[in-house]
Amino acid sequence: MSNQKQIILPITGMTCANCVATIERNVNKLVGVQQSNVNLSSERATITFDPNAISLDQIVGKIQKAGYDVARGDLNINVLGLADSTDATRLEKALMELEGVTLAQVSIASQQIYLQYIPTIISQTDIYKTIKHAGFEAIENGENVDDAEVKAREIEITHQKKLLFTGLLLTIPLFILSMGRDFNLLPMAIAHARWLDWFMLALATPVQFYVGGQYYISAYKSLKNKSANMDVLIALGSSVAYFYSLPIVFGLLNGHIYLETSAVIITLIRLGKYLESKAKGRTSEAIKRLLNLQPKTALVVRDDREIELPVEDVMIGDVVLVKPGGKIPVDGVVIEGKSTVDESMLTGESLPVEKRPGSTVYGATINRFGFLRFEASRIGKETALSQIIKLVEEAQGSKAPIQRLADKVSSIFVPIVIAIAMVTFLVWLFLPISTSANISGFTHAMINAVAVLVIACPCALGLATPTAIMVASGKGAEMGILFRSGESIERGASINTIVLDKTGTLTRGQPAVTSIISLHQQYSVNNILQFAASLEKGSEHPLGEALIAEAGNRSLELHTPSQFTAISGKGIHGIIDENDILVGNVQLMESNNINTEHFQSQMDSLQNDANTAILVAVNNQVIGLIGIADPIKQGSQEAVKNLQGMGLDVIMLTGDNNRTALAIGRKVGIEHIISDVLPGGKTEQIKLLQQAGKKVAMVGDGINDAPSLAQAEIGMALGTGTDVAIAAAPVTLISGDLRNIAVALNLSRKTMQTIKQNLFWAFFYNIILIPVAALGFLNPMISAGAMAFSSIFVVSNSLRLKNRRF
């Protein structure tokens, strides 16, 4: 069986959905690549491959050969300890062996290292550690270790801005002169002067080949790879107008020049791309915010001294100190101190969480009031925050099934548009359709064909799904909801049935004392609990733990039994302060000849309310009843009500007995209950619901829930549950609050609604406006503006999800 590895590469040079298809098609041809997903909105490629069959360099090389590139970070590091060329060679070799480092040059003369690296593969922290392990000292330059990809993107946007400014500077006077001549607003001497044509050519040529040069290069590479992208349309449309005008400027033919048309097309599209790239940058703000939560330093105890270190230097087992108001740097377990911690940035829950010795703390959360000393247990990429960031990045890089339709249409779209443009040209050229007296049939045919080429753009189609998925997964993370993929977001919108596990999901999963009833005037409820809890000190039964915990809550002093006997299936017997004590069920009492008929109604009342009834007897006389139950989780009733309000069928699925299940169901408002289900039978119950046509979301937290979480259309694991359950579920509710189920499903519904709006706009725009252009009702310049607007609309519509309330 082959190994499987997944990498994320930041791609540059993409302009439309055809670029996505080209990269995926080329990368998938490589032996060893199992899957590739390219996201136009995030400009990232998620590639799954066998590292034994193919290397990262080969994958990057294939992307470059297809006409695109991978964004790299540049790093200059001052280094101490370089003695000679042998040191330089050894250090270069160590750095080049790091996956993600594409270039390493060590200079002995300047004592510097110059590196190029792929920031999504390797971090600056890993590079510095490698230099240190090689025996050299690197002097950090103080740069943010997470900003390399951002910097690469900013360089690209700055270049786009420069091209746009150049285009506007040349196109605006060109357009004014052209329109002035067409509408007789210029003096006759200037309007008909030969030098004006040459001046307009001088303005148009840099726009055509400098500002629009990228479109020619991209179109060539696209055609070379046997595909046609948006740039082919732009290059064709603008070139027809430009090259048609050349013989007229040179005096070889008579007619009207259309240099302003080609220049305006290129500049308007450049403007649209610039605005689009700025808007697209906002779709990844959630990831940036999560990254910015990470603290930079940590206060660590080493050699009995408190020292402040970069958080990257904290090691597992280090004792870390956090003062009130400080950020917790890494994950760990509290060994000393008591405080409350604000975990809202991870869970979305505003209420602070109490921490004491034994409690788990998470990196990037904020210590509120007390002083905490904890032992580091997870560092670097293993912390809870890093795992969340990784999950969100994977979700943003994945594809929702609905996107396949858009990708398929986009891949055949450009050739169809070129064919329509050719037909438009021929129809207007050869059919006796009346044209303006000022322009020839050829010119009119050319203008309409150019309008068709320019109006059609698969960009909006390509951006419709990924932008919405990116915003939704980021928004979910901010609210403590993690979607593993775009598919899980899409599936969430179709759910009509929610199946809730009982223990640990609707309930806390830990028995607690709910009521104490005194049946004898001589004994108070505290006396009854004190006897029962003292006897349970020698027991390991969960119900016994509940009694001891409640005694602790009431600050009751527990006595040590002089005798103790556990009676299987019945309870316990012992001697406390010369009193003969029995704690257990009816069978235990009856076996000791104690009559319980007088208390049957109280026991029935407790059991009907989902309690286990515990009888306490002293010296063969029942003195009290204790009710123990698994308490309902806070918010469970509200969660069920919210789900039912969304029109969903809510079902409880439990292995508990029917009587207890019905009682819990009454408390939380669930009528549809499936009880007495063995652990292995939960999956079968999900299958039966699916066979009945239900679209099922299963919510659970235990190991036994993992198979049913995987079987359902969507599995939702509580972040407070087991790692196995979380791993099996496409959606994780970090805080464990069931009210977030409705929030997650509502977010899915709104996201799919947004995607459908985007796709409708993209399809409708092309279906309506291509015929309009072909019929001669659209000027090419108006077409260019409309095309640019379509992509901006799709991105902006997706960004509206950021500000919606769920």
Side-chain angles (χ1 to χ4, degrees):
M1 185 178 175
S2 65
N3 293 325
Q4 185 171 299
K5 185 174 183 178
Q6 190 177 80
I7 57 169
I8 296 173
L9 297 176
I11 307 295
T12 59
M14 291 195 296
T15 55
C16 68
N18 291 81
C19 301
V20 170
T22 300
I23 296 170
E24 287 181 349
R25 186 173 62 252
N26 278 275
V27 171
N28 285 334
K29 285 178 184 175
L30 293 169
V31 176
V33 170
Q34 292 149 8
Q35 188 181 27
S36 65
N37 280 327
V38 179
N39 187 311
L40 179 61
S41 182
S42 64
E43 297 181 287
R44 286 185 168 194
T46 304
I47 300 166
T48 307
F49 67 103
D50 179 0
N52 296 325
I54 190 168
S55 69
L56 172 63
D57 289 342
Q58 288 172 297
I59 294 170
V60 172
K62 192 69 173 177
I63 292 169
Q64 289 171 326
K65 196 175 177 183
Y68 306 91
D69 207 349
V70 174
R72 293 173 178 81
D74 291 306
L75 192 59
N76 284 296
I77 304 172
N78 294 314
V79 63
L80 302 178
L82 287 171
D84 52 29
S85 59
T86 307
D87 281 351
T89 304
R90 180 165 62 85
L91 183 54
E92 273 184 15
K93 185 181 177 185
L95 291 168
M96 286 303 293
E97 285 176 354
L98 291 172
E99 185 178 44
V101 171
T102 56
L103 177 68
Q105 295 174 339
V106 181
S107 169
I108 298 173
S110 63
Q111 295 282 293
Q112 271 196 339
I113 308 167
Y114 172 71
L115 289 119
Q116 282 189 349
Y117 66 102
I118 302 171
T120 53
I121 303 289
I122 188 169
S123 68
Q124 290 185 19
T125 302
D126 296 326
I127 292 168
Y128 280 110
K129 282 181 179 177
T130 301
I131 294 168
K132 188 177 180 181
H133 289 157
F136 304 97
E137 184 182 346
I139 302 171
E140 296 194 35
N141 55 19
E143 287 185 22
N144 186 333
V145 297
D146 299 309
D147 66 358
E149 185 184 356
V150 174
K151 211 176 277 181
R153 300 288 186 207
E154 283 175 354
I155 291 169
E156 196 176 347
I157 290 174
T158 302
H159 180 61
Q160 281 189 35
K161 192 175 180 179
K162 181 182 175 184
L163 292 174
L164 172 61
F165 180 76
T166 305
L168 289 170
L169 196 66
L170 297 171
T171 301
I172 290 170
L174 175 60
F175 181 76
I176 291 170
L177 287 170
S178 178
M179 291 300 104
R181 182 160 68 179
D182 290 349
F183 290 100
N184 298 317
L185 299 175
L186 296 176
M188 292 294 288
I190 296 175
H192 296 286
R194 289 284 299 147
W195 65 264
L196 183 60
D197 287 351
W198 287 99
F199 180 64
M200 291 171 72
L201 179 64
L203 291 173
T205 301
V207 177
Q208 189 70 31
F209 299 108
Y210 172 64
V211 179
Q214 178 191 336
Y215 301 128
Y216 284 103
I217 295 165
S218 178
Y220 167 73
K221 289 177 177 177
S222 177
L223 294 170
K224 186 182 173 186
N225 283 287
K226 298 176 182 176
S227 67
N229 64 4
M230 181 202 80
D231 295 335
V232 173
L233 298 179
I234 297 168
L236 267 175
S238 62
S239 295
V240 168
Y242 179 84
F243 286 106
Y244 169 82
S245 302
L246 285 183
I248 299 169
V249 173
F250 294 150
L252 302 174
L253 293 172
N254 291 322
H256 188 280
I257 63 171
Y258 289 93
L259 292 169
E260 85 288 350
T261 300
S262 64
V264 168
I265 287 171
I266 288 170
T267 303
L268 276 176
I269 291 167
R270 181 64 69 190
L271 173 63
K273 281 289 156 194
Y274 175 71
L275 294 175
E276 179 192 311
S277 63
K278 294 283 283 184
K280 274 161 57 179
R282 291 178 57 205
T283 62
S284 59
E285 281 180 2
I287 288 287
K288 291 174 191 170
R289 276 199 292 269
L290 288 172
L291 287 168
N292 290 334
L293 290 174
Q294 296 172 319
K296 306 301 177 193
T297 60
L299 189 62
V300 177
V301 177
R302 285 190 184 167
D303 301 323
D304 296 325
R305 290 189 304 117
E306 294 180 11
I307 54 173
E308 193 166 10
L309 298 172
V311 73
E312 297 84 19
D313 292 343
V314 175
M315 296 185 292
I316 292 174
D318 272 342
V319 174
V320 184
L321 310 178
V322 189
K323 297 175 182 176
K327 272 190 179 181
I328 293 169
V330 295
D331 295 4
V333 178
V334 177
I335 54 178
E336 186 182 327
K338 187 177 178 183
S339 182
T340 56
V341 174
D342 179 357
E343 296 183 348
S344 59
M345 63 284 295
L346 294 183
T347 65
E349 292 296 311
S350 56
L351 288 175
V353 181
E354 189 175 319
K355 302 293 180 181
R356 58 181 70 205
S359 299
T360 302
V361 290
Y362 302 100
T365 56
I366 299 171
N367 182 29
R368 295 281 295 268
F369 302 115
F371 183 88
L372 289 176
R373 180 188 292 258
F374 71 92
E375 183 179 340
S377 59
R378 289 190 294 188
I379 59 175
K381 293 179 180 177
E382 300 305 313
T383 63
L385 179 63
S386 295
Q387 292 298 308
I388 288 169
I389 291 169
K390 183 184 175 187
L391 282 172
V392 176
E393 286 180 331
E394 285 176 0
Q396 292 186 341
S398 67
K399 284 192 178 182
I402 196 170
Q403 191 174 339
R404 292 172 196 148
L405 171 64
D407 287 351
K408 193 171 182 179
V409 170
S410 296
S411 65
I412 60 172
F413 187 76
V414 176
I416 290 172
V417 169
I418 293 171
I420 293 171
M422 289 176 67
V423 170
T424 300
F425 177 78
L426 293 171
V427 167
W428 280 95
L429 183 64
F430 292 113
L431 288 185
I433 303 172
S434 62
T435 62
S436 170
N438 295 325
I439 55 175
S440 67
F442 178 86
T443 305
H444 208 149
M446 179 203 73
I447 290 170
N448 293 337
V450 170
V452 169
L453 288 171
V454 176
I455 195 68
C457 175
C459 287
L461 279 174
L463 291 168
T465 302
T467 51
I469 294 294
M470 281 190 71
V471 175
S473 52
K475 180 77 173 177
E478 289 175 7
M479 297 187 293
I481 300 163
L482 292 183
F483 292 97
R484 286 185 177 271
S485 65
E487 184 175 1
S488 61
I489 294 175
E490 181 173 337
R491 284 188 173 187
S494 65
I495 296 300
N496 55 29
T497 303
I498 302 288
V499 176
L500 298 167
D501 173 51
K502 180 182 77 68
T503 307
T505 302
L506 282 165
T507 64
R508 291 181 193 167
Q510 189 172 358
V513 173
T514 56
S515 59
I516 304 172
I517 302 169
S518 175
L519 302 172
H520 197 289
Q521 290 182 348
Q522 187 180 339
Y523 299 97
S524 68
V525 292
N526 280 353
N527 294 145
I528 295 162
L529 178 61
Q530 190 176 36
F531 276 126
S534 295
L535 196 58
E536 288 286 2
K537 278 177 68 177
S539 168
E540 294 180 357
H541 195 280
L543 298 184
E545 291 176 5
L547 291 168
I548 294 166
E550 182 61 23
N553 292 338
R554 299 182 182 218
S555 302
L556 299 180
E557 183 184 350
L558 299 186
H559 304 284
T560 303
S562 55
Q563 287 183 29
F564 174 83
T565 307
I567 302 156
S568 181
K570 295 182 179 179
I572 51 177
H573 172 238
I575 306 294
I576 296 175
D577 296 336
E578 298 182 359
N579 290 302
D580 191 280
I581 311 295
L582 290 168
V583 178
N585 56 23
V586 172
Q587 288 80 10
L588 177 66
M589 300 301 152
E590 288 177 348
S591 64
N592 284 273
N593 299 316
I594 299 173
N595 191 350
T596 60
E597 288 180 5
H598 300 300
F599 322 118
Q600 192 62 48
S601 61
Q602 288 101 321
M603 284 191 290
D604 288 343
S605 177
L606 285 172
Q607 288 167 347
N608 287 335
D609 203 25
N611 284 269
T612 298
I614 304 293
L615 290 152
V616 181
V618 176
N619 301 324
N620 289 334
Q621 186 176 15
V622 175
I623 63 166
L625 267 173
I626 300 176
I628 297 179
D630 186 0
I632 301 294
K633 258 188 193 173
Q634 185 179 0
S636 291
Q637 293 98 326
E638 188 183 341
V640 170
K641 187 177 178 182
N642 291 343
L643 292 168
Q644 290 167 341
M646 291 173 68
L648 299 165
D649 182 15
V650 183
I651 299 170
M652 184 203 296
L653 181 63
T654 179
D656 214 335
N657 64 76
N658 192 52
R659 188 176 185 178
T660 302
L662 285 171
I664 296 292
R666 278 196 304 272
K667 285 184 177 182
V668 296
I670 299 176
E671 295 179 2
H672 192 168
I673 292 165
I674 304 171
S675 59
D676 296 304
V677 180
L678 296 172
K682 287 187 176 182
T683 308
E684 291 304 314
Q685 291 294 333
I686 298 291
K687 285 180 182 176
L688 288 172
L689 290 168
Q690 289 170 327
Q691 288 165 12
K694 303 283 189 182
K695 299 289 185 183
V696 181
M698 170 72 191
V699 186
D701 75 319
I703 291 173
N704 64 324
D705 295 323
S708 50
L709 288 169
Q711 175 62 40
E713 270 75 18
I714 280 194
M716 291 186 173
L718 304 183
T720 51
T722 65
D723 290 341
V724 176
I726 292 168
V731 180
T732 302
L733 309 177
I734 301 174
S735 67
D737 190 335
L738 294 186
R739 286 169 289 198
N740 276 344
I741 302 170
V743 175
L745 295 179
N746 205 13
L747 178 57
S748 288
R749 289 180 179 185
K750 296 294 185 187
T751 303
M752 287 310 297
Q753 184 181 326
T754 300
I755 289 172
K756 286 171 182 174
Q757 287 170 353
N758 289 348
L759 288 172
F760 170 79
W761 169 260
F763 279 117
F764 177 81
Y765 162 86
N766 284 298
I767 290 167
I768 296 298
L769 293 185
I770 289 176
V772 170
L775 291 169
F777 295 117
L778 273 184
N779 181 285
M781 291 184 282
I782 296 172
S783 296
M787 189 213 77
F789 173 74
S790 69
S791 295
I792 297 167
F793 170 84
V794 163
V795 177
S796 302
N797 191 43
S798 297
L799 286 169
R800 290 194 311 130
L801 284 168
K802 286 165 61 72
N803 302 318
R804 277 199 161 178
R805 297 189 66 183
F806 296 94

